[in-house]
Amino acid sequence: MTDLQAIVDSVYSDLAGRIGEGKLADYIPELATVDPKQFGIALVTVDGKIHTAGDADTAFSVQSISKVFTLTLALGKIGDGLWKRVGREPSGNAFNSIVQLEQEKGKPRNPFINAGAIAVADVVLAGHLPKEAIGEIVQFIRHLADDESIAIDHNVARSETQTGYRNVALANFMKAFRNLDHPVEHVLGVYFHHCAIAMSCRQLAHAGLYLASAGRNPLNGGSVVSASRARRINALMLMCGHYDGSGDFAYRVGLPGKSGVGGGILAIAPGKASIAVWSPGLNEVGNSLLGSAALELLAQRTGWSVFGQ
């Protein structure tokens, strides 16, 4: 029997001397104020057992990790109709690239780059006021994590709204190609606020557990999505979850994952566990430097990989 707590502790211990490495996402002013010397790990198995190390209970801005949950909601609303508006291919470009969006006539390459997530936010907004759509997203994540304390960091949301000019450009560009149904400012309101949700590694690992459990939430026994949909969301995370670092992450870690520029990463070991890591310093492609290293060690020491032992 693998001692998962011992593995989590050993990964934390081996990387503790590197805490603080990487570069903060200072283009979002509020994220530039985060203490870089923080590092947390939380691993929740499909039977609900949790193993943690370091700053696993410190809340941080999940940023693009939230796109996994809004994608799940959007698929629940319109199913495979979503793929008429968003692709399923790796981008190979920066997460906020405008060039690719122009070449492909306003259809984002996948739901995890910024343009794709803006289109997904537009789907979630259907039939709602922006405040209602934001509330639905937060409530969905609270339900998944079985934790009513999860909330939006309004300072981060304000910071993104005031400085997110590139996202405004992306949204207007898609609107010009008729790939947004709602007013740009409403869609961006949903987008900026869902990126500003704050969660700890413990909460995030719990929230992602349905993707490790064939679409079911083992915390309450409820069905979230079908097993086939969970498998497809995992496939998208593996191919596209780390922007133009997705191939390297698949090579080194071998698990579906989704990163955020707040320094968090959610990784899924299908049938086994949901794992969340966090350290604010980023590598050159915008993924947590220490978090990526931690998941590589964890995958090696557990033997977990979607590509075999």
Side-chain angles (χ1 to χ4, degrees):
M1 187 75 176
T2 304
D3 187 342
L4 290 175
Q5 185 60 54
I7 290 174
V8 168
D9 287 339
S10 72
V11 168
Y12 181 85
S13 175
D14 286 357
L15 294 174
R18 296 176 57 190
I19 293 174
E21 287 185 12
K23 184 177 186 297
L24 294 174
D26 53 10
Y27 61 89
I28 299 174
E30 195 65 26
L31 295 187
T33 68
V34 175
D35 179 3
K37 293 188 177 296
Q38 300 181 86
F39 176 36
I41 307 172
L43 182 156
V44 186
T45 56
V46 292
D47 60 2
K49 293 183 176 132
I50 184 154
H51 308 278
T52 67
D55 301 301
D57 290 304
T58 301
F60 60 93
S61 184
V62 300
Q63 291 294 311
S64 288
I65 303 171
S66 61
K67 296 170 184 177
V68 174
F69 306 116
T70 48
L71 172 62
T72 303
L73 279 174
L75 287 170
K77 289 175 183 289
I78 64 171
D80 286 346
L82 179 66
W83 307 124
K84 294 174 183 173
R85 300 180 56 180
V86 184
R88 298 192 298 269
E89 296 293 335
S91 67
N93 285 303
F95 55 81
N96 55 3
S97 171
I98 293 176
V99 173
Q100 192 168 59
L101 197 59
E102 181 170 19
Q103 289 174 338
E104 298 180 358
K105 297 182 170 51
K107 182 178 179 179
R109 184 64 70 93
N110 66 67
F112 294 145
I113 55 174
N114 289 19
I118 290 168
V120 168
D122 187 62
V123 172
V124 175
L125 186 54
H128 294 300
L129 296 171
K131 188 177 288 188
E132 294 168 344
I134 294 163
E136 181 184 18
I137 295 165
V138 172
Q139 201 52 51
F140 178 56
I141 294 173
R142 286 174 176 172
H143 173 70
L144 292 174
D146 193 25
D147 191 329
E148 290 297 312
S149 71
I150 293 167
I152 290 167
D153 184 328
H154 290 286
N155 290 330
V156 173
R158 191 178 308 112
S159 185
E160 293 200 60
T161 302
Q162 291 170 348
T163 59
Y165 304 115
R166 201 172 182 105
N167 288 317
V168 173
L170 290 169
N172 278 295
F173 211 87
M174 283 190 288
K175 187 73 170 175
F177 280 101
R178 299 181 181 175
N179 199 13
L180 291 185
D181 295 332
H182 301 89
V184 165
E185 60 272 20
H186 290 185
V187 179
L188 288 173
V190 174
Y191 176 77
F192 288 137
H193 281 80
H194 94 272
C195 284
I197 291 169
M199 298 171 74
S200 67
C201 290
R202 183 188 298 267
Q203 292 168 327
L204 184 57
H206 276 129
L209 203 50
Y210 72 102
L211 293 171
S213 306
R216 297 187 67 80
N217 186 343
L219 301 179
N220 57 29
S223 176
V224 181
V225 295
S226 67
S228 62
R229 182 162 288 169
R231 187 167 63 246
R232 286 166 177 162
I233 293 170
N234 281 331
L236 285 163
M237 290 170 69
L238 183 74
M239 294 186 297
C240 312
H242 287 76
Y243 311 121
D244 46 338
S246 298
D248 189 61
F249 186 84
Y251 178 84
R252 292 177 181 278
V253 179
L255 297 173
K258 182 70 198 85
S259 67
V261 296
I265 304 174
L266 171 66
I268 304 297
K272 296 182 175 68
S274 171
I275 309 139
V277 295
W278 171 61
S279 189
L282 308 179
N283 62 19
E284 64 280 357
V285 290
N287 303 316
S288 175
L289 192 154
L290 216 57
S292 299
L295 288 167
E296 183 175 2
L297 288 177
L298 196 78
Q300 289 171 359
R301 292 172 189 182
T302 56
W304 293 347
S305 169
V306 297
F307 302 112
Q309 296 296 320

